[in-house]
Amino acid sequence: MTVPSEHDVRLATELVRGAGSLAAKMRSEGIGDSIETKTSVSDLVTAADKAAETAIVERLTAEHPGDGILGEEGSARESSTGRVWTIDPVDGTYNFVRGLDWWCSALALTDSTGIVLGAVYSPAEDAVYIGGPELPTTRNGVRLDAMPDTPLAHACLTTYLHPSRLRHPVGEAYVRVASQAASIRILGSGSMDLTAIAQGRLHLFCQHSVPDWDRLPGAALVLGAGGTTAQVEAGGVLWSLAGAPTAVAEAVEALAS
């Protein structure tokens, strides 16, 4: 795994803080007439999503023109350096639109070795989380305590569910995991959920068909806090998991059974 440079850590921090602050400002000014629907009535995009992604892409283009880019709102550029920045300008857009605070701006940097770092900015907390496999996770520069290991039976599981996609066999795979957990939360922002897991407030992220921009930033934080990640095929879809090592291992076993 690659140890991130001080420059990349500082840049990632500034990028997510800037994007989240811009989105929050636009929300406070009113964005009701700029909401668009993507794949479903709960899958939304706003002018704030697009403006925040554009701001990140413009700075990356100026400072790292050879790095690749993959943005949720369509920004894409091939990499000539082997490095790729994956961007979610507003993760939890439905919450953002409805006036809920569980949303963030997030990004991840990867290279040929895998995840280098992830960064998440929560405007409601005014908190930047940053971490990775070779970068201990911090909140506003303060290192998080090591994540406590937790068995699935004692774990609070967080996920995101589309009811139309819970039919057999996907639903059966989900129930095999969920029925063994202590509790379940569906909060609406994968990256924010993973900040809570990195802090030991929740214990297990388990969701299927997760795009990289919803998975990589928070997965980096979990890894930097001593947790683990996994992906496994079950029920005809790919499940992504992150959290306490024992809970992840037991959930993988349940999905594969």
Side-chain angles (χ1 to χ4, degrees):
M1 294 294 180
T2 300
V3 177
S5 68
E6 291 184 6
H7 168 77
D8 285 334
V9 171
R10 181 173 63 254
L11 176 60
T13 298
E14 293 173 358
L15 288 173
V16 291
R17 183 181 287 279
S21 297
L22 174 61
K25 181 176 184 292
M26 292 181 70
R27 182 170 78 163
S28 71
E29 294 173 348
I31 59 165
D33 59 356
S34 66
I35 301 168
E36 301 172 20
T37 299
K38 294 195 286 187
T39 62
S40 71
V41 295
S42 63
D43 186 12
L44 307 176
V45 61
T46 70
D49 294 76
K50 296 176 181 178
E53 182 164 301
T54 296
I56 291 175
V57 170
E58 287 178 349
R59 184 161 178 195
L60 287 174
T61 298
E63 297 196 22
H64 293 284
D67 288 357
I69 290 173
L70 175 65
E72 180 178 12
E73 307 312 332
S75 300
R77 184 174 71 208
E78 291 295 322
S79 175
S80 62
T81 64
R83 295 168 22 123
V84 177
W85 297 85
T86 300
I87 305 162
D88 195 341
V90 177
D91 181 39
T93 301
Y94 189 89
N95 290 347
F96 175 86
V97 168
R98 302 302 174 189
L100 301 171
D101 286 337
W102 199 251
W103 66 274
C104 62
S105 292
L107 60 76
L109 173 62
T110 57
D111 66 10
S112 60
T113 70
I115 299 174
V116 177
L117 63 79
V120 172
Y121 176 60
S122 167
E125 305 172 70
D126 189 24
V128 172
Y129 300 86
I130 190 161
E134 298 295 331
L135 178 68
T137 300
T138 58
R139 179 185 186 275
N140 286 343
V142 178
R143 183 169 177 171
L144 300 182
D145 292 336
M147 180 188 304
D149 199 9
T150 307
L152 183 56
H154 295 167
C156 183
L157 179 152
T158 178
T159 189
Y160 189 79
L161 300 175
H162 288 287
S164 63
R165 301 197 68 182
L166 277 180
R167 302 186 181 96
H168 173 80
V170 176
E172 288 189 357
Y174 169 72
V175 169
R176 289 199 297 271
V177 176
S179 63
Q180 296 186 45
S183 185
I184 299 168
R185 296 292 182 271
I186 304 173
L187 302 172
S189 169
S191 290
M192 284 300 297
D193 292 355
L194 287 159
T195 68
I197 291 172
Q199 295 172 90
R201 296 175 176 173
L202 304 173
H203 307 103
L204 174 66
F205 173 89
C206 180
Q207 185 179 327
H208 71 78
S209 310
V210 185
D212 282 349
W213 48 76
D214 283 335
R215 178 178 66 89
L216 293 175
L221 303 182
V222 170
L223 291 170
T228 190
T229 64
Q231 290 188 299
V232 60
E233 291 272 358
V237 294
L238 181 65
W239 296 82
S240 295
L241 303 96
T246 297
V248 169
E250 292 176 346
V252 167
E253 182 178 357
L255 285 169
S257 62

